[in-house]
Amino acid sequence: MVSTLTSWVGKLLDGNGWLLTAGLCLSMLSGCMVGPNYQPSKPDVPAHWAGPEPAAANAPPDVDLARWWAVFDDAILASLEDRAVRSNLDLMQAEARIRQARAARGIAASGLGPTVDATGAIQRSRSPGRSSNWQDGVTRGVVSNTYDAGFDAGWELDIFGGIRRSIEAADADLLASVESRRDVLVTLTAEVARNYIELRAFQQRIDIAQENLALQQHTARLTRQRFEGGFVGGLDVANANAQVATTSSTIPLLEAAARQSIYALSILLGQEPAALVPELSPASAIPAAPPAAPVGVPSDLLRRRPDIRRAEAEIHAATARIGVATADLFPKFTITGSAGLRSGDFSSWMIWAQRFWSFGPSASWRLFDTGRTQSAIEQQEALQEQALIAYRQTVLAALQEVENALIASAKEQERREALVSAVEANRKAVSLAKILYTEGQTDFLSVLDAQRSLFFTEETLVQSTSAVSTDLVALYKAIGSGWNADMAEAVTPVAK
């Protein structure tokens, strides 16, 4: 290696050798790059889901996963989703990070080309001197002017690939930032749908509470009339009034929760909390959808989930940076040059005869740095290992999310079917209890129990209906819906 370097230095010093050296260096630009080459990860994933997979007959046909919320067939929800994609602040931040990563990639790529600096200087200087009559002891300095203008250029030849590895890492970082935006998009669309469904559920629960309150108030009036007629005691009146007060106390909490859901939706749309109150305050039905989603097979998550794709890009970036650190073990070759005009007289500054130039390659090689470069390589290798572990963890978490969503969706649908039957039975029980109580064939406690059971099951049915829809939202989120590869990444600057 020493003899090779000596030979290179000899050529650099040779007046005609710089052309040979430059040509040889340029021919090596497309050569090998130090450091490991990235190999795509191939994690082990199961062939099938462990949980109950939705039957193909139940899955909606031809679902556009980029706009999966269309399966709910709710115009207001679709409008909220579209507005959120346009104005959500988290999404804007993610788009700004894409622009940042793209600029960082441009900075890295600039290392492959030369740099040229324009220089200019005017200097006036005085140098010490002595008069012609030195015996008088008086010295007179010489004052001179220097006028200088020109260009300095430099070009580091990427012979060992350190710059190209940094570009490779920047490309991976850019891809990771794009996947991060897509992950924000997946989360955003799911959060808008979840909050909207919860809002409609709160509104339905308010309606049910008010209906039951009206029913219980009617029962309380009837009980007072029977008490005044001497048919029942005061205990029945007290129990009826307590039932009315208890049901009435639930309504303010539900109203507060509904208003908070509206506030949450407004923030998701990048607006002030009360912006959507006029639009969303009127009650509406809970959006329902087909009880299944096209989940595919577990291996589909590797190409569908943005967080998995981002984790893989981060492995790629960490692998490339090992090469960046490894390149510091090898010598660096640079071609430098300068040209310009220099004169001591302003009037002759721009005359062609005052030109100067210099050009030639140079080499530098750090032979000893107390282990700093080797430690930097080990540091990047440890970061790559961390990225690999994070990737495997992300894959496992994604599998868990889908399995959780599958089992929750299936079991909630079973629960809802049972609650539908329970509500029908409780309505019959309330009607029958009122008739028997009016005829004096049962006590008032039976009426209270029947009304309480009806209120409870009706409210639970609404919650279950909401859970069925939110579980479906969670399933679409878990499989990575809300984007597709054809969607243009919005990376235009935010208006000032």
Side-chain angles (χ1 to χ4, degrees):
M1 180 62 74
V2 174
S3 62
T4 303
L5 183 59
T6 303
S7 175
W8 272 81
V9 172
K11 291 178 181 179
L12 295 178
L13 297 176
D14 186 354
N16 297 321
W18 66 269
L19 289 173
L20 177 62
T21 303
L24 182 59
C25 291
L26 289 173
S27 67
M28 295 176 66
L29 280 175
S30 59
C32 64
M33 295 186 292
V34 296
N37 292 322
Y38 170 70
Q39 299 295 331
S41 302
K42 296 180 179 179
D44 293 330
V45 295
H48 303 285
W49 300 108
E53 297 185 38
N58 293 331
D62 300 327
V63 175
D64 180 6
L65 293 181
R67 297 182 58 83
W68 55 266
W69 52 88
V71 301
F72 289 101
D73 194 23
D74 190 304
I76 297 179
L77 174 59
S79 174
L80 292 173
E81 295 282 8
D82 291 340
R83 283 180 279 171
V85 171
R86 290 195 302 268
S87 59
N88 178 260
L89 298 181
D90 290 333
L91 198 57
M92 289 182 182
Q93 281 189 328
E95 291 164 2
R97 294 188 188 103
I98 293 177
R99 295 193 293 272
Q100 176 187 357
R102 187 165 293 156
R105 198 269 180 196
I107 293 173
S110 68
L112 283 179
T115 59
V116 179
D117 297 325
T119 61
I122 298 176
Q123 292 183 338
R124 184 174 179 85
S125 60
R126 179 186 185 277
S127 58
R130 184 175 293 274
S131 66
S132 57
N133 184 8
W134 58 271
Q135 293 179 344
D136 59 11
V138 177
T139 61
R140 293 179 176 84
V142 178
V143 177
S144 63
N145 297 324
T146 302
Y147 302 92
D148 197 336
F151 297 92
D152 293 328
W155 187 8
E156 180 181 344
L157 304 179
D158 190 33
I159 294 175
F160 298 101
I163 297 176
R164 281 170 288 162
R165 286 299 191 193
S166 65
I167 296 173
E168 182 183 352
D171 284 334
D173 287 338
L174 176 57
L175 178 59
S177 66
V178 170
E179 298 300 343
S180 292
R181 177 189 179 274
R182 291 170 175 172
D183 194 32
V184 172
L185 197 58
V186 170
T187 301
L188 171 63
T189 54
E191 283 299 297
V192 170
R194 183 183 64 82
N195 279 278
Y196 179 76
I197 291 169
E198 289 180 351
L199 167 64
R200 297 313 187 192
F202 285 130
Q203 290 174 339
Q204 291 291 306
R205 291 173 64 186
I206 291 171
D207 290 343
I208 289 173
Q210 290 174 340
E211 291 174 1
N212 277 272
L213 178 61
L215 175 64
Q216 292 164 8
Q217 288 173 337
H218 174 73
T219 301
R221 288 194 298 270
L222 177 62
T223 304
R224 283 195 297 272
Q225 292 173 358
R226 291 176 59 79
F227 171 73
E228 293 169 355
F231 296 103
V232 298
L235 180 60
D236 288 353
V237 175
N239 285 333
N241 291 335
Q243 179 86 323
V244 169
T246 300
T247 302
S248 180
S249 68
T250 64
I251 295 177
L253 294 177
L254 294 173
E255 290 174 339
R259 183 59 65 91
Q260 289 167 357
S261 295
I262 296 177
Y263 294 162
L265 284 167
S266 298
I267 298 301
L268 289 173
L269 268 62
Q271 301 180 28
E272 63 181 29
L276 297 178
V277 170
E279 178 182 356
L280 298 180
S281 290
S284 183
I286 299 173
V295 296
V297 294
S299 60
D300 290 340
L301 293 183
L302 303 182
R303 60 180 178 83
R304 186 73 232 167
R305 293 256 313 205
D307 56 343
I308 295 178
R309 294 161 62 98
R310 179 186 64 224
E312 188 169 10
E314 289 171 349
I315 298 175
H316 192 169
T319 303
R321 289 191 171 94
I322 296 176
V324 175
T326 304
D328 288 338
L329 291 174
F330 298 88
K332 298 183 184 299
F333 300 92
T334 307
I335 299 175
T336 60
S338 62
L341 299 171
R342 181 178 298 137
S343 175
D345 186 359
F346 184 79
S347 61
S348 62
W349 183 14
M350 295 301 169
I351 297 176
W352 183 244
Q354 302 298 329
R355 71 187 183 278
F356 71 89
W357 61 267
S358 64
F359 179 82
S362 64
S364 64
W365 193 357
R366 180 177 294 172
L367 298 178
F368 182 72
D369 61 2
T370 321
R372 178 177 180 178
T373 300
Q374 187 59 43
S375 296
I377 295 172
E378 294 173 358
Q379 180 187 38
Q380 294 302 324
E381 289 175 342
L383 290 173
Q384 183 205 38
E385 183 180 359
Q386 294 176 43
L388 285 167
I389 295 172
Y391 175 79
R392 291 196 292 268
Q393 188 173 17
T394 302
V395 171
L396 291 176
L399 293 172
Q400 181 187 19
E401 284 186 27
V402 176
E403 294 287 9
N404 287 344
L406 284 173
I407 191 66
S409 179
K411 295 305 178 183
E412 192 61 51
Q413 290 175 35
E414 294 179 10
R415 177 171 178 259
R416 185 181 182 281
E417 292 174 0
L419 285 170
V420 170
S421 299
V423 168
E424 293 178 356
N426 278 314
R427 285 174 179 167
K428 293 179 181 178
V430 168
S431 178
L432 183 59
K434 287 178 64 177
I435 294 174
L436 293 177
Y437 176 68
T438 303
E439 296 176 352
Q441 299 183 33
T442 187
D443 57 11
F444 186 68
L445 184 59
S446 298
V447 177
L448 289 180
D449 288 341
Q451 289 181 344
R452 288 169 184 162
S453 296
L454 175 61
F455 182 31
F456 175 77
T457 53
E458 284 183 334
E459 188 176 48
T460 306
L461 176 59
V462 170
Q463 294 175 1
S464 180
T465 302
S466 172
V468 168
S469 293
T470 54
D471 286 343
L472 188 61
V473 170
L475 185 55
Y476 275 110
K477 178 186 176 184
I479 63 176
S481 303
W483 71 277
N484 62 37
D486 297 329
M487 294 173 64
E489 302 300 335
V491 292
T492 55
V494 179
K496 297 294 189 292

